[in-house]
Amino acid sequence: MISEIKGGHVKVETHQGITTIEFFHPQSNSLPGTLLEQLTHAIHSAGNEKETKVIILRSGGEKAFCAGASFDELLAIETAEQGLLFFSGFAHLINAMRKCPKLIIARIQGKCVGGGVGLAAAADYAFAIEGADVKLSELAVGIGPFVVGPAVERKMGLAAFSTLSIDAAKWRTAEWARRRGLYAEMHDSAAAMDEAIHNLAENLVHSNPDAMALLKKTFWEGTDHWDQLLIERAALSGRLVLSEFTRNAIAKFRKK
């Protein structure tokens, strides 16, 4: 199944118990609101599909895994309500990944920025290649990683999350991210990574689905309040994006 989005898509394929969900956008796999909505729906549907045993989340192309929020849509926000609606898209997606009863493997083939780091953190097991560097650039454009913050902090710890949040202009290497738990494995090529992903997914397909679902629940213990928390965080970003400082900063980044 392919859901076409203006300039991009979400594609879902299931084969022998493995459901692969791929998102793509020509602007470095950035995430406009419609794409966020389609991704959330795809995760929710796969989680409820009996045929699906494990989910692989990936992005299209060979460059950036995800550039985070769409600058075009950020600049188009004119009210706090519109800001809440846009950033709630990230909240709904992360919560869908959190509550999905199937284990989610993330394939990180390139750099992660902002919301892309959040997706990697919300996955249950992330593979990456050398060069899949990370950056939480939100403060550099006048907002903050409020919505993805809980997922990043849960996976990497407060120290690493604070480092990424405060030094928002600096890239951290994939090895730095692996040592702090964002990536479970790192490989020197996409081919080696794909082979490792295939091997793990095949093993999981033959594991007890009830045991995997219960195991995932234990991984996410203590996060039941995120349904409310992430929406509250979305409101913070939705207000900040209206400031003159933020709009000027985003406009400058967009021109780069």
Side-chain angles (χ1 to χ4, degrees):
M1 181 189 75
I2 301 178
S3 298
E4 292 294 342
I5 299 163
K6 185 177 181 180
H9 68 248
V10 172
K11 181 167 63 175
V12 182
E13 295 181 348
T14 300
H15 181 67
Q16 295 183 342
I18 302 171
T19 293
T20 301
I21 300 174
E22 177 186 283
F23 65 95
F24 170 76
H25 193 277
Q27 294 178 339
S28 301
N29 287 324
S30 62
L31 296 170
T34 305
L35 199 152
L36 286 167
E37 183 179 353
Q38 292 289 344
L39 261 181
T40 300
H41 176 74
I43 293 288
H44 179 75
S45 296
N48 291 322
E49 178 58 55
K50 188 174 182 180
E51 183 182 353
T52 297
K53 308 300 181 185
V54 62
I55 297 170
I56 297 173
L57 178 65
R58 58 175 290 159
S59 64
E62 300 177 356
K63 296 183 180 180
F65 169 70
C66 179
S70 165
F71 281 174
D72 289 345
E73 291 206 8
L74 289 178
L75 287 172
I77 294 171
E78 296 179 345
T79 67
E81 290 73 20
Q82 290 175 353
L84 171 61
L85 180 64
F86 175 74
F87 287 104
S88 291
F90 285 96
H92 295 321
L93 177 54
I94 289 173
N95 277 322
M97 295 176 69
R98 172 178 67 88
K99 293 188 285 186
C100 177
K102 311 297 170 63
L103 294 173
I104 299 174
I105 300 170
R107 176 189 185 272
I108 316 295
Q109 86 283 11
K111 291 182 176 180
C112 293
V113 182
V117 180
L119 292 186
D124 300 297
Y125 201 100
F127 289 83
I129 63 170
E130 294 177 4
D133 301 344
V134 298
K135 179 168 65 172
L136 288 178
S137 60
E138 285 88 343
L139 189 60
V141 295
I143 49 179
F146 297 112
V147 179
V148 302
V152 177
E153 182 180 345
R154 167 190 166 272
K155 182 60 70 72
M156 303 182 74
L158 179 59
F161 171 56
S162 299
T163 296
L164 287 172
S165 300
I166 293 170
D167 197 355
K170 183 175 181 179
W171 289 100
R172 304 286 167 168
T173 67
E175 174 60 22
W176 184 93
R178 186 198 64 79
R179 291 199 307 267
R180 286 154 182 83
L182 181 67
Y183 302 147
E185 296 184 26
M186 198 172 76
H187 296 269
D188 58 7
S189 69
M193 175 177 65
D194 287 338
E195 181 179 0
I197 290 172
H198 174 77
N199 290 338
L200 176 60
E202 283 289 319
N203 287 337
L204 292 175
V205 162
H206 296 96
S207 298
N208 184 337
D210 293 332
M212 289 190 289
L214 289 171
L215 185 61
K216 177 153 183 175
K217 286 190 72 173
T218 67
F219 293 158
W220 289 93
E221 281 181 356
T223 62
D224 289 344
H225 64 295
W226 281 22
D227 283 324
Q228 178 179 347
L229 174 66
L230 298 194
I231 296 300
E232 292 173 352
R233 296 289 187 86
L236 295 178
S237 294
R239 292 197 301 270
L240 283 170
V241 78
L242 297 174
S243 72
E244 183 179 357
F245 182 101
T246 299
R247 299 185 78 80
N248 289 337
I250 292 173
K252 289 178 182 177
F253 263 77
R254 189 185 179 200
K255 292 177 182 177
K256 291 183 178 181

